[in-house]
Amino acid sequence: MKQNKNSLQKIFLSGLLLIIVAATASAQKLPKVQGISVRAPKNIKIDGRSTEWKNGTFQAYNTSDRIYYTMSNDDDNLYLIVRTPGLSEGEKVIRGGVVLTISHSLSKKTRESASGNVSIKFPIASSDKFFSITQAYDEYNAFKKDTVAYQKQIDSLTWGVNKMADESFKQIGVVGIKNIEGPLVSIYNEYGIKAMVKIDRKMAFTCELAIPLKYLGISVNAPTKFSYNIELPGIPPAINKNPNALAPPTVERNGGGVSDDFEYVNNPTDFWGVYTLAKNP
């Protein structure tokens, strides 16, 4: 009986190792920046889930932002879906949001400050509940050691985190769109700008955005290249300067100092890419 138990443990550990290796290999195969145009699925829904994407795959894994992402479009909207692979990445998005900037300039010198740039930010913490969300990550650390034994606790934690997210993230940041008075609009706005986030049982964070093409000055009828920037600002400066604000724990290395994850969460990261709208095949 003991031998059978040991055999089962070995099989389980071997299977777990294969899953980890496969996930790592998948990230390594993906480009850092998406290089192709993608038509959005016909059944796309901005709900913070990637179920409409075949096999849940993404077009790129960026090592600066440490996110999986896919940019896509249909005839009416530009879409962005972002997924975080770990707790630090999710915490950074929860605290500082994801900022997508669209620029008609392709020049590295002018695209960041070009006239006509449009920026969309989500999520935006509108209450103290986002502190509770990040604290839930600490609770998950105790449960992830045995996800089978703690299945009910993880399910309850996941439900609670998503409920807090729904209650907290009620606004979208909008900058640069004419006739839309920003910098904040409701997620229930009349402009057709959509955003949603969800957290799964592994505390992986998925953020989706949809922006009508008419606000970006681009069209599938005459697709041209444009630049885009995806930034993870991290903890906002106002929070960083508050000595009483909750922040990720400082983890010392052998030689002292803070961990790479601490630096990552507390500082902005971003990258630029170029995209062309995909026509309807």
Side-chain angles (χ1 to χ4, degrees), residues 238-258:
I239 295 178
N240 263 330
K241 294 176 183 178
N242 180 0
N244 298 317
L246 296 178
T250 300
V251 181
E252 292 189 359
R253 301 179 188 143
N254 292 332
V258 297

Side-chain angles (χ1 to χ4, degrees), residues 208-270:
E208 287 190 289
L209 302 175
I211 310 144
L213 298 178
K214 62 182 180 181
Y215 296 132
L216 303 176
I218 50 180
S219 170
V220 292
N221 296 324
T224 58
K225 292 182 179 180
F226 61 87
S227 299
Y228 67 90
N229 178 268
I230 301 177
E231 179 186 11
L232 272 59
I235 298 178
I239 295 178
N240 263 330
K241 294 176 183 178
N242 180 0
N244 298 317
L246 296 178
T250 300
V251 181
E252 292 189 359
R253 301 179 188 143
N254 292 332
V258 297
S259 71
D260 291 338
D261 283 344
F262 182 90
E263 293 287 352
Y264 165 77
V265 172
N266 281 269
N267 290 282
T269 54
D270 77 292

Side-chain angles (χ1 to χ4, degrees), residues 9 19 29 42 47 66 152 156 198:
Q9 288 177 338
I19 292 172
K29 290 179 182 178
K42 292 182 179 180
D47 57 4
R66 288 161 50 170
K152 290 184 179 180
S156 177
K198 288 294 179 185

Side-chain angles (χ1 to χ4, degrees), residues 187-205:
I187 58 172
Y188 309 110
N189 64 82
E190 67 272 30
Y191 309 111
I193 301 172
K194 300 177 182 179
M196 183 60 68
V197 299
K198 288 294 179 185
I199 297 99
D200 67 15
R201 294 184 75 258
K202 294 182 179 179
M203 292 291 120
F205 190 101

